[in-house]
Amino acid sequence: TVLENVQLNIQNCGGDGIHAEGVSKLLFWQGSILQPKGFGINLKNVNDSEIFGVFVNAAKSGGILLNSSNQNQFVATLVFQTSKTIALKLDENSHNNQIVRSRVRHNTAVMQSDAQDNLFYHSVCEMRIGYVGCITDSGNEPKNWGNPLDFQPIWRTACYPKSFQRGQCDYLT
């Protein structure tokens, strides 16, 4: 299964902004998910997918949730002001996922991973639970979790020419 969407914009939907079960190779590049009644992104048994440059704001149930989902890449995602305490959560059955250059900010700035074989690299949060590395305002360690060279495929970046990443982008928009 392949679903590709560039510049997706979802607003005020009655459930999850993106809800997918039992599929692989979803591609979402750039866009926003604003004020969904459920999760911003809810993936169950989803594998080998790429979510690049997506902004989730004011999700009622939480920002990003992965259940039994493996080998997904989240690059340059931002979760902002969700109603629940966990902005980004990977359950114990989600493995080999890559959370890279992603941020969770404000009242729900918690990243949580219940499995220790996921990559958290150059990401920002205010609090972490479990096997997570992120840069916090308090400067507590660890800043990263996992070695990027141990993960395949190698993560790539998507960004606007003057984005916060200030680095070379694989997908310049």
Side-chain angles (χ1 to χ4, degrees):
T1 303
V2 176
L3 174 63
E4 183 173 331
N5 191 317
V6 178
Q7 291 292 345
L8 82 143
N9 290 293
I10 300 167
Q11 188 166 353
N12 296 316
C13 61
D16 298 329
I18 296 172
H19 182 99
E21 289 189 45
V23 296
S24 60
K25 300 195 185 305
L26 299 175
L27 305 173
F28 293 106
W29 297 337
Q30 301 287 342
S32 59
I33 301 168
L34 308 175
Q35 301 174 327
K37 300 287 187 256
F39 286 93
I41 300 172
N42 187 353
L43 305 181
K44 296 179 181 178
N45 196 25
V46 172
N47 303 306
D48 303 310
S49 295
E50 300 174 356
I51 314 292
F52 291 159
V54 174
F55 172 58
V56 177
N57 186 33
K60 298 285 186 227
S61 296
I64 299 172
L65 176 66
L66 275 69
N67 286 308
S68 299
S69 295
N70 304 299
Q71 295 180 307
N72 299 294
Q73 295 179 318
F74 285 82
V75 179
T77 56
L78 170 60
V79 177
F80 191 79
Q81 293 184 334
T82 61
S83 297
K84 300 293 180 185
T85 57
I86 306 296
L88 184 147
K89 181 178 180 181
L90 286 67
D91 77 351
E92 67 275 4
N93 297 313
S94 294
H95 304 284
N96 297 312
N97 296 289
Q98 300 177 54
I99 312 300
V100 177
R101 292 186 177 175
S102 294
R103 299 176 289 171
V104 295
R105 299 306 273 168
H106 290 288
N107 61 334
T108 57
V110 178
M111 288 186 176
Q112 177 176 343
S113 176
D114 296 334
Q116 56 184 312
D117 56 352
N118 294 297
L119 174 68
F120 286 83
Y121 192 72
H122 289 185
S123 293
V124 176
C125 70
E126 293 174 17
M127 187 175 146
R128 66 180 140 266
I129 298 172
Y131 306 100
V132 173
C134 62
I135 299 165
T136 64
D137 293 336
S138 66
N140 293 332
E141 299 294 332
K143 292 185 171 141
N144 296 308
W145 184 272
N147 181 349
L149 300 177
D150 293 340
F151 290 81
Q152 293 294 326
I154 300 292
W155 56 270
R156 300 179 304 266
T157 56
C159 60
Y160 294 105
K162 294 182 180 180
S163 74
F164 77 96
Q165 298 168 354
R166 297 187 185 140
Q168 187 170 1
C169 301
D170 296 303
Y171 299 105
L172 188 60
T173 59

